[in-house]
Amino acid sequence: MNLPRVILGAAFALAVCSCAGSPLDYRVDVSDDGPTSIRGLVVRVCERTDAYVATDESLEDVERSQVHASIGRLQSAVTSQDRISGWDLEPLATPVLDLHDAYVGQDTALQPFERSIYLDSTAALRMVLESATRGPP
Amino acid sequence: MNLETGRQALSESLQASFQTFLHGARDDVRAFADRLALNLTNALALRREDLADEVVEQAQALGESLRLSGTASTWRAIQHALRAAFGFGMGLGDGDVAQEPIKDEEPEPLEDEPGDHAEELEA
């Protein structure tokens, strides 16, 4: 191993980090009051999806329980900590976001404006997931 | 929430997260931000505070996406800088390094990346 090269490289990386003024942090803000926290939006999407699931007569009880549990895991993940890795969040969130969009898309009781905003919520969350999983896991 | 309060909330939310990154954001990000502002206005005009609150939370999420894109961009900038300086990626040695197969990639134009810091790097 070429130690001087390692030290020089590490020092250079730190210097670039410092110049960029931005920490290498791919963890998503799910804090209670962070200015860019997504906790509120995730909880909102979870609650809406949960309500759809509760009234979905096509689901068997076992299926319904599994989906409720899946939503609960996502909600718990974003309310029990301040930061979460995008790589941990993505597998929890994606099925719920997909389910949310399927229910919202089929809900004929919604006004177009409501539907559009509800779908924008998942679009915004998908942008977060995409950004949070670009970096090293 | 009245219209002015809602606009202020959205503005503060956007400013808090965009001031560093939005100037370099992609067109689709800008378009999404514009749509949020329009949706907020319409939601408040319809007296739908629930929708207005949701739009403000969407703005926060967009800001978080930009914040994370900024760090991803920074990571790539570091890779490119190291490659330019030393001819290898983030692997920092000889035998135990060069895990990143970036030698076959073309450097990305840093100035086009959202949340980029090309100016600082050049300085």
Side-chain angles (χ1 to χ4, degrees):
Chain A
M1 186 167 65
N2 185 338
L3 192 57
R5 214 175 172 199
V6 171
I7 294 171
L8 191 58
F12 187 74
L14 283 173
V16 174
C17 274
S18 176
C19 283
S22 181
L24 288 177
D25 183 0
Y26 297 92
R27 292 174 302 153
V28 178
D29 186 349
V30 289
S31 62
D32 187 34
D33 57 356
T36 62
S37 172
I38 65 165
R39 179 187 287 185
L41 192 57
V42 172
V43 168
R44 191 182 289 271
V45 167
C46 282
E47 289 177 347
R48 187 154 51 230
T49 309
D50 216 36
Y52 278 121
V53 170
T55 56
D56 185 348
E57 296 176 351
S58 72
L59 291 175
E60 301 287 341
D61 287 345
V62 174
E63 290 176 307
R64 195 187 320 278
S65 297
Q66 289 173 340
V67 178
H68 277 312
S70 173
I71 296 169
R73 280 193 294 275
L74 172 59
Q75 198 159 343
S76 173
V78 300
T79 55
S80 62
Q81 52 195 327
D82 288 341
R83 300 261 175 173
I84 182 171
S85 158
W87 298 96
D88 292 336
L89 181 60
E90 199 271 344
L92 291 173
T94 298
V96 177
L97 301 185
D98 290 346
L99 191 60
H100 170 275
D101 288 357
Y103 280 124
V104 167
Q106 293 173 3
D107 187 350
T108 54
L110 291 177
Q111 297 170 0
F113 182 55
E114 286 177 303
R115 181 178 297 111
S116 168
I117 287 185
Y118 292 167
L119 295 176
D120 274 350
S121 290
T122 49
L125 292 174
R126 286 193 174 91
M127 291 172 76
V128 172
L129 292 175
E130 183 188 345
S131 298
T133 52
R134 276 184 194 156
Chain B
M1 183 188 292
N2 61 35
L3 184 59
E4 197 52 42
T5 305
R7 280 181 174 151
Q8 186 174 348
L10 182 67
S11 174
E12 288 174 357
S13 180
L14 291 174
Q15 284 178 12
S17 51
F18 288 7
Q19 60 185 358
T20 306
F21 299 117
L22 190 58
H23 71 279
R26 302 187 310 259
D27 287 346
D28 58 332
V29 173
R30 288 176 181 274
F32 195 83
D34 288 344
R35 191 159 82 240
L36 294 187
L38 180 63
N39 283 345
L40 179 70
T41 303
N42 290 338
L44 292 170
L46 293 169
R47 299 181 185 279
R48 290 290 304 270
E49 291 186 17
D50 58 324
L51 295 180
D53 289 341
E54 187 155 345
V55 172
V56 171
E57 289 176 349
Q58 290 168 3
Q60 290 183 227
L62 183 57
E64 180 67 355
S65 174
L66 290 170
R67 185 184 73 80
L68 292 163
S69 294
T71 58
S73 177
T74 302
W75 178 258
R76 285 194 296 276
I78 290 171
Q79 287 184 319
H80 294 316
L82 282 174
R83 178 186 171 194
F86 302 104
F88 53 77
M90 278 306 290
L92 299 176
D94 293 325
D96 58 337
V97 293
Q99 303 297 322
E100 295 285 333
I102 66 168
K103 62 179 182 299
D104 295 330
E105 297 176 0
E106 287 297 321
E108 296 173 32
L110 295 174
E111 62 273 17
D112 292 339
E113 291 292 330
D116 213 332
H117 303 281
E119 304 86 354
E120 292 93 325
L121 288 173
E122 287 170 2

